[in-house]
Amino acid sequence: MRGLRLRDAGVELRIGVALLLAIIILGLVVPAFAPEDPRRWNTVPRNLAPGGDYLLGTTSQGQDVFWLLALSVRNSLWVGFTVGVIATLFGAVVGMAAGYVGGLPDRVLTLLTDSFIVIPALPILILFSALLEGRASLLLVGCVLAVFNWPRPARQTRALVLSLREREFMRTAWFAGSNTLQIIRREIAPYLTGWFIANFVYTVLIAIATETGLAVIGLSNLQDTTLGGMIYWALRHQAILAERWYWIGPPTLVIIVLSVALFVVSSGLSKLSARRRGL
Amino acid sequence: MRFVAFLLTKLLVYVLIIVIGVTVVFLVPRLLPSGPVEALLARIMAGGGFMEPAQVESMRVSLTQTFGLEGTLWEQYRGFIERVLLAGDFGPSLAMFPTSVNVLIRQALPWTLGLLLTATIIAWILGNVIGVIAGYRKDKAFSKVLELIAVAVYPIPYYILALILIILLAYLWPVFPMSVHVRSAPLSLRFLATVVHNSFLPALSIIIVGVGWWVISMKALSSSVCEEDFVQFARLRRVSDGTIMTRYVARNAILPQITALALMIGGVFNGALITEIIFDYPGLGSLTYMAVMQSDYNLLMGTVTLSIVAVATATLVIDLLYPFFDPRIRYR
């Protein structure tokens, strides 16, 4: 009974990882083989349906949809990765410090975390992008997204650390003469690794979704194409009315598959690590 | 006595959170290299108007004054806090001068509340009902299928779903309009019907994503309640399935969902913002978007502050009310 459920969770996680790997290969390996910069206009004939020389057809600007898609995937992944790394690390440090040190530092950090959670990120991001008029580099967009995404990991890390602090082995470490830093590094951090990765993957999901949202309304970086940017240009050039599904369809489909894969991997990993922690 | 201390701490934190949040929102746009003055000047120049450098300079000075941007950052901040947080006055809209921000918000608020509250509550009820059933019968095939659908739908961003719905239900099979075309009109049954018809697609996109999340969380919650002794005992007593599901499982599993609902209502503005923009829905989201596009600081501060206060208030209300829902929790 129990074994069966474990295996079920395993299947989900495995499918998620497989989908994610496929998309990562599409984004990280494929663009290197592009015959020319896929963003350039009029490198191929316009408005060709899929098949023939062009796998996924061509846009009304004379771009090859397939290579454009691969490049967009790469840029979207890159934004997600940047935000994931910065936000998860920063959040984890704040959460661990707050949870482990306690007292006044904890109160101050928790207050700060709670304040950042209530700030609606999207209007600020929209303002940011509007003032930079679509010229913000993807790295900058990533950094701004990170500013609004550290509180969630921080809060969760704090809660986890608080529950860990009361465990027996923590006291043992303390009595054995370890100092605070050593305890955080050697006792708490390893315990949380699996959970960290789950959280990282989830932050990547949120970041990619948010960047896509900004891009769909034309407010992310419009020079370096991302999946959302591709949808934006397809909409701008009336791909729906012209029924050019091969232009707007692929980025939409990839966003959906990518989101679902990231979600499944994240929840699968956090279940796995909870089980390992004996919860 | 204990309750008073609890209440005071919560209130203090509430005020602090709002002040910090608003401060961040105040600072961010002012730290950027280009501000609304430069943006507006650029727009005027791009419009073809030729101006002498001296005229540009005097224009710059007068715009800076109109926008309340003169003086040091600290002076601006003090004026802002006095005006906004103490008097609740956001000043005139810069883009639709001289209409006041408060009036614009008052016009947009019913639209957003109507759409988001309705959609969120429908999603909550639907998701929890499905979630309890799926959690109670978690080994049945249909509950696995239900969860699978929920997992496949929930992570899709609102606006991608909105886009798909537009393609399917407004373009390929045109039952609903692509964007919302009702503006205010005298209240009548026909007007309400048009509003519902026009708001259907945006609402549907919010409901589908919402239901996905509530099913996933409610299934997890209720299947863990099912493992508890009192449920086993009820089964042994041959209490009917329906009673166990509603009175025993749902009642205990619903508590965290109530908290989540309050937070969701507080924060849903954020997620639905792009949905409103895509559908051109005349609510707070589109207002915020317009404020940003026109570099209307006052209007932006108005909508964003409102959203911060809403989320903070939702959190506070939940903290205060929770012990009433759950007698196991005490004020501390």
Side-chain angles (χ1 to χ4, degrees), chain A residues 118-199:
Chain A
V118 302
I119 299 175
L122 264 176
I124 309 281
L125 288 169
I126 290 180
L127 175 76
F128 221 94
S129 333
L131 287 179
L132 294 168
E133 286 164 357
R135 280 168 316 190
S137 70
L138 286 178
L139 184 65
L140 185 63
V141 172
C143 290
V144 178
L145 282 171
V147 171
F148 293 101
N149 281 303
W150 65 266
R152 207 182 41 84
R155 221 183 203 183
Q156 292 179 347
T157 314
R158 177 176 171 273
L160 268 176
V161 170
L162 279 182
S163 82
L164 276 179
R165 201 166 65 160
E166 302 305 319
R167 303 267 184 104
E168 209 52 45
F169 66 86
M170 298 291 294
R171 265 170 232 160
T172 318
W174 181 252
F175 287 130
S178 310
N179 64 31
T180 307
L181 260 183
Q182 280 172 330
I183 290 185
I184 289 182
R185 222 183 56 221
R186 290 193 199 145
E187 309 294 334
I188 301 182
Y191 225 67
L192 301 181
T193 319
W195 178 84
F196 268 152
I197 301 173
N199 215 326

Side-chain angles (χ1 to χ4, degrees), chain B:
Chain B
M1 204 47 229
R2 206 184 201 182
F3 177 73
V4 174
F6 169 82
L7 191 67
L8 285 180
T9 331
K10 287 288 173 201
L11 281 178
L12 183 70
V13 171
Y14 171 70
V15 172
L16 276 176
I17 285 178
I18 291 180
V19 169
I20 295 177
V22 170
T23 306
V24 173
V25 176
F26 173 85
L27 281 177
V28 168
R30 285 168 173 80
L31 293 177
L32 289 172
S34 75
V37 176
E38 297 307 317
L40 197 58
L41 275 178
R43 207 172 302 143
I44 293 170
M45 313 260 251
F50 172 76
M51 285 190 281
E52 305 272 342
Q55 285 176 314
V56 174
E57 196 45 48
S58 79
M59 188 99 181
R60 185 171 284 138
V61 170
S62 82
L63 282 178
T64 312
Q65 275 172 0
T66 326
F67 288 7
L69 296 173
E70 78 267 47
T72 59
L73 207 56
W74 173 245
E75 282 165 6
Q76 287 180 33
Y77 181 64
R78 222 180 42 198
F80 170 76
I81 292 284
E82 276 170 13
R83 200 161 42 82
V84 168
L85 285 190
L86 302 182
D89 172 24
F90 293 101
S93 156
L94 306 177
M96 295 210 226
F97 198 81
T99 320
S100 86
V101 169
N102 294 29
V103 168
L104 288 176
I105 289 181
R106 215 171 298 137
Q107 281 169 359
L109 198 57
W111 287 93
T112 296
L113 285 184
L115 173 68
L116 297 184
L117 283 183
T118 320
T120 311
I121 289 171
I122 292 177
W124 190 78
I125 294 172
L126 219 63
N128 280 322
V129 170
I130 299 175
V132 168
I133 298 172
Y136 187 68
R137 303 230 181 256
K138 63 172 178 290
D139 297 319
K140 289 263 158 84
F142 75 85
S143 62
K144 282 178 183 155
V145 171
L146 277 177
E147 195 184 18
L148 205 65
I149 295 174
V151 167
V153 164
Y154 158 70
I156 303 174
Y158 284 116
Y159 30 88
I160 296 292
L161 201 69
L163 198 66
I164 294 172
L165 288 177
I166 288 181
I167 294 179
L168 291 182
L169 292 177
Y171 183 75
L172 288 182
W173 185 43
V175 212
F176 296 103
M178 274 189 164
S179 58
V180 179
H181 284 303
V182 216
R183 296 295 184 261
S184 30
L187 199 65
S188 68
L189 215 59
R190 227 187 111 186
F191 173 66
L192 278 180
T194 347
V195 169
V196 171
H197 181 72
N198 273 271
S199 314
F200 193 84
L201 279 190
L204 193 63
S205 74
I206 298 171
I207 291 175
I208 292 178
V209 171
V211 167
W213 170 245
W214 298 119
V215 168
I216 295 172
S217 53
M218 192 58 180
K219 183 178 180 258
L221 286 166
S222 52
S223 63
S224 81
V225 171
C226 282
E227 315 263 301
E228 300 227 11
D229 291 342
F230 67 89
V231 178
Q232 305 291 347
F233 184 63
R235 278 204 185 115
L236 294 177
R237 267 176 53 213
R238 304 195 105 202
V239 179
S240 74
D241 267 1
T243 316
I244 296 183
M245 210 154 73
T246 49
R247 297 273 178 79
Y248 287 66
V249 178
R251 207 167 165 186
N252 281 286
I254 204 79
L255 286 166
Q257 298 293 77
I258 295 177
T259 322
L261 175 67
L263 290 180
M264 186 78 103
I265 287 176
V268 80
F269 165 70
N270 211 344
L273 194 123
I274 294 185
T275 309
E276 282 197 6
I277 297 170
I278 287 183
F279 286 100
D280 195 17
Y281 188 85
L284 279 182
S286 300
L287 200 62
T288 311
Y289 182 66
M290 193 199 79
V292 166
M293 293 328 261
Q294 315 261 356
S295 301
D296 188 341
Y297 273 15
N298 283 352
L299 185 53
L300 184 77
M301 290 308 295
T303 52
V304 174
T305 307
L306 192 71
S307 150
I308 291 178
V309 171
V311 179
T313 310
T315 321
L316 177 75
V317 168
I318 277 304
D319 277 351
L320 294 182
L321 287 187
Y322 210 64
F324 289 106
F325 293 124
D326 191 348
R328 288 169 298 188
I329 293 188
R330 299 258 171 79
Y331 293 111
R332 69 191 150 78

